[in-house]
Amino acid sequence: MMALEAVARTLRGLPRGVVSLIYPPTCAGCGGATADPGALCPACWSSLRLIEEPVCQRYGTPFAVDLGVGPLLSPRAIAEPPVFERARSVALYDAVARRLVHRLKYEDRLDLARVMARMMAASGRTLIADAECVVPVPLHRGRLWRRRFNQSALLARVIARSAELPFVATALVRVRATRSQVGLSRAARAENLSGAFRVATAEQHRIRGRRILLVDDVMTTGATGNAAARALLRGGARSVDLLTFALVGDAAG
């Protein structure tokens, strides 16, 4: 361990060009050569399905055409308003976005958190401008022990630091270990997460009366965001917005 730390200190002291010769920069999406560390190659960048206006003002899901009539709500937002106020995401959860999320979560590519968080900060700039603190969606302690890190906390920390906002890493606690959401219906996901979160008593004063920016990696149906936002509101938060890197295409129905 000491040897690895010594190598890391040595590399940090070298000029960037020398480090690039030792470890040539690669694409964050496919691993191909790039000019800058953490950048996407042209092929991956062009394949990333970025979400742009017009979007549903509640769920952040893109509309196929711009109707030019001001703020829009999707049919689902009207029929099933979310607990959180607004959600925004960088890209649809296809191909490149999926690879980035999976490499961060399951391949220990923690360096990707900085790249992804910068993109999230750009997509969520309106939410960030209104936020008073940043809270990550937590993992249950059992899953955190197995994975060794919480990808949402890594993303949230970078976003909070760049926006100079308080990062309240332990405000929200996952008190119940839920089964995997993969393959569950929208209703089953909501039921699975019912009562899964609460605000830590010792942290209530840090969120009370504040507008919270809740950060997660992916929004599928919004069940996790709803459950977490409900707990934050019960804990005294004034409002909750949700910022994620990726959005499953049919998340807003």
Side-chain angles (χ1 to χ4, degrees):
M1 179 64 71
M2 292 180 65
L4 289 175
E5 291 176 353
V7 170
R9 286 195 299 270
T10 301
L11 289 175
R12 284 196 293 269
L14 291 174
R16 180 177 174 182
V18 174
V19 176
S20 295
L21 289 175
I22 301 172
Y23 296 108
T26 58
C27 172
C30 68
T34 58
D36 298 305
L40 291 174
C41 69
C44 285
W45 180 257
S46 62
S47 298
L48 191 64
R49 296 180 62 190
L50 297 173
I51 296 173
E52 299 177 341
E53 296 286 349
V55 298
C56 169
Q57 296 303 296
R58 297 300 302 276
Y59 282 100
T61 306
F63 288 95
V65 296
D66 188 349
L67 301 178
V69 292
L72 300 172
L73 293 177
S74 64
R76 184 188 170 200
I78 296 171
E80 303 173 29
V83 178
F84 48 84
E85 292 291 323
R86 301 169 293 179
R88 294 293 184 272
S89 304
V90 174
L92 294 179
Y93 191 57
D94 289 342
V96 178
R98 182 184 292 111
R99 283 203 301 272
L100 289 171
V101 170
H102 278 224
R103 294 184 79 186
L104 172 62
K105 289 174 67 170
Y106 306 121
E107 298 179 21
D108 291 347
R109 284 294 307 274
L110 308 190
D111 56 301
L112 295 182
R114 185 177 299 275
V115 179
M116 295 163 67
R118 285 202 302 261
M119 299 172 73
M120 292 168 69
S123 296
R125 56 188 176 276
T126 302
L127 276 57
I128 293 171
D130 293 335
E132 294 175 289
C133 66
V134 181
V135 174
V137 171
L139 294 176
H140 185 266
R141 61 181 179 275
R143 184 167 296 176
L144 180 61
W145 182 84
R146 291 191 298 272
R147 188 175 295 169
R148 305 186 307 283
F149 65 91
N150 176 5
Q151 72 281 354
S152 299
L154 295 178
L155 296 168
R157 185 186 299 275
V158 176
I159 292 168
R161 184 184 297 124
S162 64
E164 298 182 346
L165 289 170
F167 172 55
V168 192
T170 55
L172 200 58
V173 180
R174 199 160 191 149
V175 295
R176 186 166 60 80
T178 55
R179 63 191 178 110
S180 172
Q181 297 277 79
V182 177
L184 298 183
S185 67
R186 185 175 295 164
R189 283 173 178 263
E191 182 179 356
N192 187 39
L193 287 161
S194 178
F197 302 101
R198 68 171 174 80
V199 171
T201 302
E203 300 281 17
Q204 281 187 338
H205 69 284
R206 301 186 67 186
I207 68 160
R208 187 175 294 115
R210 287 184 161 183
R211 294 180 65 96
I212 308 298
L213 180 67
L214 181 67
V215 174
D216 205 359
D217 55 349
V218 180
M219 183 169 82
T220 304
T221 64
T224 300
N226 275 333
R230 186 175 291 110
L232 287 167
L233 292 170
R234 286 175 176 170
R238 180 152 59 101
S239 65
V240 180
D241 287 326
L242 174 63
L243 179 59
T244 68
F245 178 75
L247 170 71
V248 174
D250 61 352

